[in-house]
Amino acid sequence: MLLPVFLLSAAGFTVLTTEFIIVGLLPAIARDLDVSIPQAGLLVTLFAFTVALFGPFLTAYFARFERRKLFISILILFGLANTLAMMAPNIWVMAIARLIPALGLPVFWALASETAVDIVGPDYAGRAIAKIGFGIVCATVFGIPVGTLISDAFGWRSAFGILAVIAFAKALLLFVYLPKTSLHQHQVSFRSQFRILRSPLMLGHVLLSILVFSGMFTAYTYLADILERLAGFDGTVVGWCLMGFGAVGLIGNSLGGRAVDRHPLMASVMFCAFMIPGMVALVPNINSSLGLAAAMGIWGVTQAALFLVSHVRLMKAAPEAPAFAASLNIAGANLGIGLGAIIGGRVIDSAGLGFVGFAAAGFILLSIFLAMVLMVLKPREVCAA
């Protein structure tokens, strides 16, 4: 019964690694393609904004398709895109290679999440998506840092080449082992899915995702650069640091899955509140091994938790159209990721790399305030209904 969930989790590892692997490769890509770090950071923005702009519409449209064929097609698309990234001669071709998978990511992630919830039931949505989310955490634990280590040893192009091979292999595994019937869903009309946007509470939830992810990626986009330039680490040490950052995310994924089933908005407030000191303390403790490890540990746990909490929070807010609600979270999150990459780049250009954590913390503070407002508004909307 849970085999489809684990298969989709494995596929999700490849999908999310494709999006975030560039975080650890930014310094190397910038050097090789002869652009600045903020300019290379726009590749993150391009991917994220594409997801945000097209994600909900593509998810609503492709929800009618048979899931097995759809997921296999998406993985093949990712394999081709990573192959193009491996061969990119300049920043423009690299941009195309990032644009292509950005169209498939929201469709996969939203529909895979809905599939997991259908398998286990809505009462255990957080735990089900935590299993899918395990693939995301593994992308940060292994995908991103191992990509950084491969880049340091063999060049950043080899990282994308290996990721392409993995994508094609996962497509084959889904073809062989994923049964068609396990992913068949009751279809909701295209128009009815968009009706949930009439709810001010739903729009508030989307805005909350935008703010949370803007805060996280104002700093996280440039974490590898912080560790290289401010801590003085080489590529290998940066890779191991990113692996540690992701590894503690396993704790956050578990905590987030349990907390969000009890109270989604309170879980958002709690993890945001703990994230702020981790972000703010990073640079001041850059020369202290213990202080740096503690700051990255707190940040890593809370960031992984908020990935899951934000996703389930939107799905629980719209149980009549959970896949579309998930796509709205993905869109809002990626809009935040793109904004964060831009804002972080601006902060680096104007104030310096050491200030991105403080800028990020400002967004997280706004997130806490909005979550509290939504907790007050929720009972009113229910009563009005």
Side-chain angles (χ1 to χ4, degrees), residues 283-298:
V283 172
N285 288 278
I286 202 73
N287 294 316
S288 166
S289 298
L290 183 60
L292 180 61
M296 290 188 66
I298 294 170

Side-chain angles (χ1 to χ4, degrees), residues 37-38 218 222 225 229 343-354 356:
I37 288 289
T218 293
Y222 304 99
D225 197 36
R229 286 205 278 161
I343 293 169
R346 295 287 186 181
V347 171
I348 292 171
D349 286 338
S350 60
L353 192 59
V356 292

Side-chain angles (χ1 to χ4, degrees), residues 168-353:
F168 290 131
K170 296 288 178 62
L172 180 60
L173 285 173
L174 290 181
F175 177 77
V176 174
Y177 294 108
L178 193 63
K180 294 181 181 180
T181 54
S182 66
L183 296 179
H184 180 72
Q185 304 290 329
H186 172 69
Q187 299 302 325
V188 182
S189 70
F190 189 89
R191 179 178 297 179
S192 64
Q193 293 181 72
F194 278 88
R195 287 176 185 164
I196 66 175
L197 291 174
R198 297 177 182 176
S199 166
L201 184 63
M202 177 59 64
L203 297 178
H205 275 286
V206 175
L207 178 58
L208 179 56
S209 290
I210 294 173
L211 289 174
V212 167
F213 280 82
S214 292
M216 290 195 298
F217 280 82
T218 293
Y220 184 63
T221 301
Y222 304 99
L223 179 56
D225 197 36
I226 290 172
L227 296 174
E228 277 196 15
R229 286 205 278 161
L230 299 186
F233 297 157
D234 60 23
T236 300
V237 176
V238 170
W240 286 111
C241 287
L242 293 177
M243 187 171 291
F245 184 94
V248 297
L250 292 170
I251 301 172
N253 188 63
S254 177
L255 294 175
R258 295 179 181 278
V260 74
D261 278 335
R262 291 194 294 268
H263 199 304
L265 286 169
M266 184 60 69
S268 297
V269 171
M270 178 181 68
F271 288 114
C272 281
F274 279 101
M275 176 179 280
I276 290 175
M279 286 180 160
V280 171
L282 183 71
V283 172
N285 288 278
I286 202 73
N287 294 316
S288 166
S289 298
L290 183 60
L292 180 61
M296 290 188 66
I298 294 170
W299 183 4
V301 169
T302 53
Q303 178 154 306
L306 284 167
F307 263 98
L308 176 64
V309 167
S310 298
H311 201 68
V312 179
R313 175 172 49 78
L314 264 292
M315 294 182 73
K316 284 181 173 286
E320 68 276 22
F324 185 67
S327 74
L328 291 176
N329 174 67
I330 294 166
N334 277 273
L335 180 58
I337 290 169
L339 288 171
I342 291 175
I343 293 169
R346 295 287 186 181
V347 171
I348 292 171
D349 286 338
S350 60
L353 192 59

Side-chain angles (χ1 to χ4, degrees), residues 16 34 104 312 348 363:
L16 270 295
D34 195 26
V312 179
I348 292 171
F363 280 106

Side-chain angles (χ1 to χ4, degrees), residues 70-101:
L70 180 62
F71 294 150
I72 291 171
S73 298
I74 290 173
L75 282 170
I76 292 173
L77 182 73
F78 271 66
L80 294 172
N82 285 320
T83 300
L84 181 60
M86 176 185 68
M87 301 184 297
N90 54 55
I91 194 69
W92 302 107
V93 175
M94 189 67 183
I96 295 172
R98 299 299 292 167
L99 178 67
I100 294 171

